[in-house]
Amino acid sequence: MRYLEVTVPEGKRGAVLGLLEDEGIDYVVSDETSGRGYTAVVRFPVPTQAVEPTLDRLDRAGIGDEASVVVIDAETVVSERFDTLRDQYNRGGQTGARTSRQVLRTKADELTPPFPIYAIMLLISAVVATAGLLADSPAVVIGAMVIAPLLGPALAANVGIVTGDERLKWTGFSYQLLGVATVVGASIGIAMLARFAGLEPAGVDIVVVAELEERVSPNLFSLAVALGAGIAGILSLTRGFSEAIVGVMIAAALIPPSAAVGITVAWGMSGAATGAAALVVVNLLSINLAALATLWVGGYRPQGLFEVSPTRRPTYTYAAIFGVGLLVLAAPLAGITLLDFHTTELESAAENEVDAVLAESAYDHLEREDVAVELDGDYPIQSVDRVVVTVSGQEPGTEAGLADRLYAEIEPHSDESLLVEVQYVVSETEGDADGERTTIRTVEGGET
C-alpha cells in the first residue's frame, strides 16, 4: 500500500478531485497557503498496483511537472472504499506489488552512488578480486563481488530507457563503462606489482590457476550468470526482493572477468586477455538485455498498439543493439563450448581405448593410471594438442610399440591431428623399519 501527497496547481483542483471521485479513492484535501502557485494538497491511500495508473491519469489531466508528488509506504489502511479499490486492482488473481514507473525511477537513482564513492569501492573490489584470482581463492573473489556497487548503474540505464529519463540512462551507461575500466586498470597495476615483486613468478602460464582459466576461455554457459543477474536485478527493483544479493550476482558477472583482463595484460598474454575482455562485454550486453526485456515483460513499456510514444523507439533500438552485439560475440563462445564437448568426448573415448588395449594379455603387467586431454594454450579459442596416457607397472622402462598402438586407436576419435604421449610410472615396494610398505614412483616418458 502507498500513501500519496499531491500539491494541486491553481485551476486544477476540480479536475483532480473529480478524477479521484471517479476512481473511488478516499482522499483528504487541505488548502495550500504558501503562495507558490498551489491551491490545495490532496492526500490519499491507494494499493501499490494503483500508483502508476493513478499518476498517469493525473498527468493526462494536466497535473504533471507543475505538481509535487510524494509517495510513502503505508502500513495499514482502514477504509471500506480502500478495500473496494484494492479488490478492484487484485481482480483476476493479480496480487503482486508491482512498483510504479515513477517509484522505480527513484529507486534506480538511489541505488547509484555518487561517483567518488563508486570509484573508491570499485578500486577496493579490484584489488581484492585480483588478489583472489592470483591466489586461486574463491572466498576472496566472492568478497570482491560483495563490495562492488554495480547493481544501481546496471538497472538505472534500462529504467532510464523505458521511462524516458535521459539523465538516468546516461548515468547508468557511463557508470558501467567507467566502472569496468576502473577495475581493469587497477587490476593491471596490482598484477604488475605482484609479478615484478616476485609474489607470482614471471614467465609462467598464469592462466593455469583454476579461478582464472574459466574466465579467459569462456563458453556459452558463462551467459547464464549475466542473464540471470539482469532478470533478478529488475525483479528486485520491481517486486521488493533483496537488492544486496542480486548485486553480488551482477558483480560476479563483471568483477572477476575484468580483473582477469588486467592480470593477463600484465602477463603479456594477449589471447587470454582477449578472451576475458570478450566475456566482460558479453556479460555487460547480457545484463542490459535481460534487464530491458524483464522491464518490457513486466509492463514497463509504451502502452497502446498504435500509440506513438517517445520511449518506444529508444526501447526497440537499445534492445536491437544489445541483442545483435550479443549474438555476434556469442559465436566464439559457441566454438569454445563445442571444444569443451569434444574434449570431454575425446577423453572418455581415449579411456575406453586405453582400457581395451591394456586388457590384452601382452600388457597384463601394466595398469592405466590416468588419461588427460591437453589443449594447446592458444587462448581464447584453443584446440586439442595431445592426449597424455599414464600407465604403471613393476618394471622400469618403456613398452615397445605401446605408444603407436594407442595412437592408432585414439586418433580416429579426433577430427584433427593430435599427439599421443605415454608416461610410464614404475612402482617399487620396499619395507620400512616398522614393517609397513611404501610405494616409490619414478616416471619415464614416450610419445608418438
Side-chain angles (χ1 to χ4, degrees):
M1 295 174 291
R2 300 290 185 264
Y3 191 71
L4 274 65
E5 180 179 285
V6 181
T7 55
V8 182
E10 293 181 357
K12 300 293 184 180
R13 179 169 180 157
V16 172
L17 298 184
L19 185 150
L20 298 179
E21 288 288 350
D22 292 341
E23 294 295 322
I25 295 175
D26 204 2
Y27 62 89
V28 175
V29 183
S30 301
D31 290 334
E32 215 287 324
T33 59
S34 65
R36 294 177 299 165
Y38 300 111
T39 184
V41 178
V42 182
R43 302 176 181 88
F44 52 92
V46 291
T48 301
Q49 303 95 313
V51 172
E52 184 175 353
T54 300
L55 292 179
D56 286 344
R57 292 186 186 102
L58 287 173
D59 185 67
R60 287 195 291 271
I63 314 300
D65 295 337
E66 299 179 9
S68 173
V69 179
V70 179
V71 181
I72 306 170
D73 286 335
E75 293 291 335
T76 304
V77 177
V78 181
S79 167
E80 290 185 3
R81 296 189 71 181
F82 179 83
D83 291 340
T84 302
L85 186 65
R86 180 172 54 192
D87 292 340
Q88 174 186 336
Y89 278 93
N90 288 345
R91 189 173 302 156
Q94 297 180 356
T95 58
R98 178 184 183 273
T99 302
S100 68
R101 294 197 315 275
Q102 295 82 1
V103 174
L104 182 68
R105 185 164 51 191
T106 301
K107 291 178 67 175
D109 198 17
E110 290 176 348
L111 286 172
T112 305
F115 188 77
I117 301 298
Y118 178 73
I120 291 172
M121 293 299 291
L122 280 181
L123 284 172
I124 298 172
S125 178
V127 172
V128 175
T130 304
L133 290 175
L134 290 174
D136 195 20
S137 174
V140 176
V141 175
I142 292 173
M145 302 173 194
V146 173
I147 61 178
L150 292 173
L151 175 62
L155 304 183
N158 296 283
V159 172
I161 291 173
V162 298
T163 61
D165 190 325
E166 290 293 317
R167 183 196 62 81
L168 190 62
K169 178 181 69 175
W170 291 117
T171 297
F173 281 136
S174 61
Y175 267 52
Q176 289 183 67
L177 296 176
L178 290 174
V180 168
T182 298
V183 175
V184 172
S187 297
I188 292 175
I190 297 300
M192 292 289 287
L193 288 175
R195 182 182 180 186
F196 293 115
L199 300 179
E200 291 288 341
V204 302
D205 185 3
I206 192 65
V207 297
V208 298
V209 175
E211 283 293 310
L212 196 58
E213 186 172 14
E214 64 188 45
R215 293 176 172 95
V216 300
S217 186
N219 56 33
L220 285 176
F221 297 111
S222 305
L223 296 178
V225 174
L227 291 172
I231 295 172
I234 291 300
L235 291 178
S236 71
L237 213 59
T238 60
R239 302 295 176 176
F241 300 152
S242 172
E243 287 97 354
I245 296 176
V246 178
V248 175
M249 285 187 64
I250 291 179
L254 296 176
I255 294 296
S258 299
V261 174
I263 293 172
T264 49
V265 168
W267 253 259
M269 304 180 68
S270 58
T274 300
L279 179 59
V280 172
V281 176
V282 165
N283 284 350
L284 275 173
L285 292 172
S286 299
I287 289 170
N288 284 279
L289 179 62
L292 192 59
T294 305
L295 284 168
W296 183 270
V297 173
Y300 298 96
R301 59 181 185 269
Q303 301 298 317
L305 182 61
F306 300 104
E307 177 184 352
V308 179
S309 169
T311 62
R312 171 174 290 183
R313 183 180 295 275
T315 300
Y316 290 161
T317 301
Y318 280 102
I321 292 172
F322 297 153
V324 172
L326 190 58
L327 286 175
V328 171
L329 289 175
L333 271 62
I336 296 173
T337 304
L338 293 176
L339 174 65
D340 291 342
F341 289 156
H342 174 62
T343 301
T344 302
E345 292 176 350
L346 179 59
E347 187 169 303
S348 177
E351 288 178 352
N352 293 333
E353 296 295 351
V354 171
D355 288 341
V357 171
L358 296 183
E360 298 175 5
S361 58
Y363 304 110
D364 286 342
H365 58 291
L366 297 176
E367 293 183 1
R368 173 173 67 86
E369 291 286 327
D370 184 46
V371 175
V373 177
E374 295 186 355
L375 304 180
D376 59 7
D378 187 14
Y379 297 99
I381 303 178
Q382 305 178 81
S383 59
V384 175
D385 180 48
R386 65 181 62 200
V387 177
V388 179
V389 180
T390 305
V391 297
S392 63
Q394 297 295 325
E395 299 295 331
T398 61
E399 186 71 24
L402 177 59
D404 291 335
R405 178 69 186 282
L406 292 176
Y407 174 80
E409 299 297 333
I410 295 173
E411 195 275 337
H413 293 282
S414 176
D415 298 330
E416 52 191 335
S417 60
L418 55 81
L419 190 69
V420 175
E421 178 181 311
V422 181
Q423 296 183 351
Y424 296 86
V425 179
V426 180
S427 299
E428 299 177 359
T429 305
E430 296 180 352
D432 59 19
D434 297 325
E436 297 179 356
R437 303 175 72 84
T438 304
T439 300
I440 303 174
R441 293 173 180 251
T442 58
V443 178
E444 296 181 3
E447 62 182 39
T448 183

